[in-house]
Amino acid sequence: MKKIILSVLALFCALAIAGAVYFNEVIFPQKIKRGLIEGFRLATGKSIELSGARLDLFKGLVIKDLAILDNDLWVIKAKEADCRFLIFPLFKKQIMITSLELKSAQIFLERRKDNSFDIVETFFKEPILLNGEYSLAILRIILSRAAVNYKDSALDPALTKDVKNVFLDARLSLPDRVIFAAEFELSSKPAMSFKVNGEYKALKKGISLDIKAKDLYFKEFAPYFKGQNTYLPEGRADIEVALKAGNDILNADITMTSPGLDFSRDKIKAGLNCALKAKAQYDFNKKTLIYSGELDIKNLALWGLEYVDRIDDIR
């Protein structure tokens, strides 16, 4: 009799496990796929594509082959997206994603003409409403080894850059702040490497950044100084910058060291090693730049002079 009872219990357990597996692998993926595709389109105006979704005990909701599109052009693509979410808010028709991790993602990031960023406005500015009843809020986004195609439409003509090996941890701080830390490489030869910590205020469109850059190549940023009486030297430098931008004003505190920079004006050329501490302010409306600072020059060399061919080791 005991063997019969154990056999029946084992059968029920097997059926329960099989049912749970069937629900997670067949029924649930179909329902969540339809809900995400339709709900996301209605809420943001952007379409979403995915090959499947399932629940994982450790990763949460796992989405395969995710693609978010805007006017049939992709904004985000990822082989896998892992979403960890809270259970209890679901009973209040709230989907609170505490962590969204995109693995080896490709991202299109645009700075618009009004200085806002498209992805931040879509995901962080206010809760997304799915199917007209479930509010969706993403509290944190993590990127690992992502690639970003960056377009700056605030410039004329627009500037495009490839950003590689992106690591990002961005989280929402209510009511409207996005706090983030990132590491990435900007395409050049050799690549420029950056570490950035910052904060973006979506409603005020204000941003503050602490940037550390290695092997910074100034000529790559020439479009930002177009039409200004500002000369960018040839050469590379290591630099630390504290930036604050808002109300069309950009303020910067700058510390820089360089083993060699080359300047030229007409026939006269100069090469130097230097260390710089400076403050700068740029007005986007007036297109004016104000700066002040201290420059420690070592090993200055001048050539192309009218009466003296070359002067070396000026300190």
Side-chain angles (χ1 to χ4, degrees):
M1 185 64 179
K2 185 181 292 186
K3 290 183 178 180
I4 295 175
I5 293 174
L6 290 175
S7 298
V8 172
L9 289 175
L11 178 61
F12 275 114
C13 289
L15 290 174
I17 294 172
V21 171
Y22 181 76
F23 174 81
N24 191 34
E25 299 295 333
V26 180
I27 297 177
F28 177 78
Q30 294 175 355
K31 288 184 175 292
I32 197 66
K33 182 177 179 180
R34 287 196 299 268
L36 285 173
I37 291 174
E38 184 62 17
F40 196 83
R41 182 186 64 80
L42 292 173
T44 67
K46 293 177 172 60
S47 59
I48 184 172
E49 296 178 355
L50 57 146
S51 64
R54 62 181 177 82
L55 286 175
D56 184 276
L57 182 61
F58 301 103
K59 297 180 179 180
L61 175 63
V62 179
I63 301 173
K64 293 292 186 179
D65 299 319
L66 172 68
I68 298 174
L69 301 97
D70 187 9
N71 294 325
D72 295 326
L73 298 176
W74 65 269
V75 178
I76 297 176
K77 293 192 294 186
K79 285 292 184 182
E80 182 178 306
D82 299 339
C83 304
R84 295 183 178 179
F85 57 92
L86 300 176
I87 298 296
F88 290 109
L90 293 175
F91 297 103
K92 299 180 180 180
K93 296 187 176 181
Q94 297 174 345
I95 303 175
M96 300 289 290
I97 296 179
T98 58
S99 175
L100 170 60
E101 182 176 0
L102 302 177
K103 298 180 178 179
S104 300
Q106 292 179 278
I107 299 170
F108 176 74
L109 176 63
E110 181 181 13
R111 177 182 173 229
R112 298 167 176 164
K113 292 185 178 181
D114 64 356
N115 293 319
S116 66
F117 290 86
D118 56 342
I119 288 180
V120 173
E121 296 294 310
T122 297
F123 290 104
F124 289 107
K125 189 171 183 179
E126 59 186 26
I128 298 170
L129 197 63
L130 293 182
N131 297 325
E133 55 180 344
Y134 281 89
S135 63
L136 171 64
I138 302 173
L139 304 182
R140 187 179 185 186
I141 291 181
I142 299 172
L143 300 179
S144 177
R145 293 202 174 277
V148 177
N149 300 115
Y150 176 67
K151 181 178 181 181
D152 196 333
S153 297
L155 298 178
D156 186 20
L159 175 71
T160 58
K161 289 291 181 183
D162 290 328
V163 187
K164 301 178 180 179
N165 294 326
V166 179
F167 293 83
L168 171 69
D169 189 343
R171 65 186 188 277
L172 178 64
S173 178
L174 297 175
D176 71 323
R177 293 188 305 158
V178 179
I179 301 171
F180 55 91
E183 295 183 20
F184 58 90
E185 294 179 356
L186 193 60
S187 57
S188 68
K189 292 183 180 180
M192 296 177 280
S193 61
F194 294 82
K195 291 184 179 181
V196 182
N197 291 283
E199 178 182 297
Y200 176 73
K201 294 182 179 180
L203 296 178
K204 294 182 178 180
K205 295 183 174 63
I207 190 169
S208 61
L209 299 171
D210 288 320
I211 304 170
K212 293 182 179 180
K214 186 175 178 59
D215 290 324
L216 185 70
Y217 182 53
F218 295 97
K219 293 289 187 180
E220 288 285 342
F221 303 93
Y224 289 94
F225 297 91
K226 185 179 179 180
Q228 303 300 312
N229 189 24
T230 303
Y231 179 81
L232 295 177
E234 188 72 37
R236 293 181 178 269
D238 295 339
I239 188 169
E240 295 185 13
V241 183
L243 291 175
K244 286 187 177 181
N247 299 319
D248 295 318
I249 299 292
L250 173 66
N251 290 292
D253 289 339
I254 306 166
T255 302
M256 182 193 74
T257 59
S258 174
L261 295 176
D262 293 330
F263 298 80
S264 64
R265 177 71 69 178
D266 299 326
K267 295 181 180 180
I268 301 175
K269 296 182 180 180
L272 55 88
N273 301 343
C274 67
L276 170 70
K277 290 184 178 181
K279 294 181 181 292
Q281 184 181 86
Y282 182 76
D283 190 316
F284 289 98
N285 289 326
K286 297 179 180 179
K287 298 188 182 300
T288 56
L289 176 66
I290 301 172
Y291 59 89
S292 62
E294 298 179 357
L295 178 62
D296 182 14
I297 297 176
K298 299 179 180 179
N299 301 325
L300 171 63
L302 298 173
W303 62 95
L305 301 173
E306 185 174 355
Y307 299 105
V308 180
D309 181 55
R310 184 182 178 100
I311 302 176
D312 291 308
D313 201 21
I314 303 173
R315 296 175 184 270

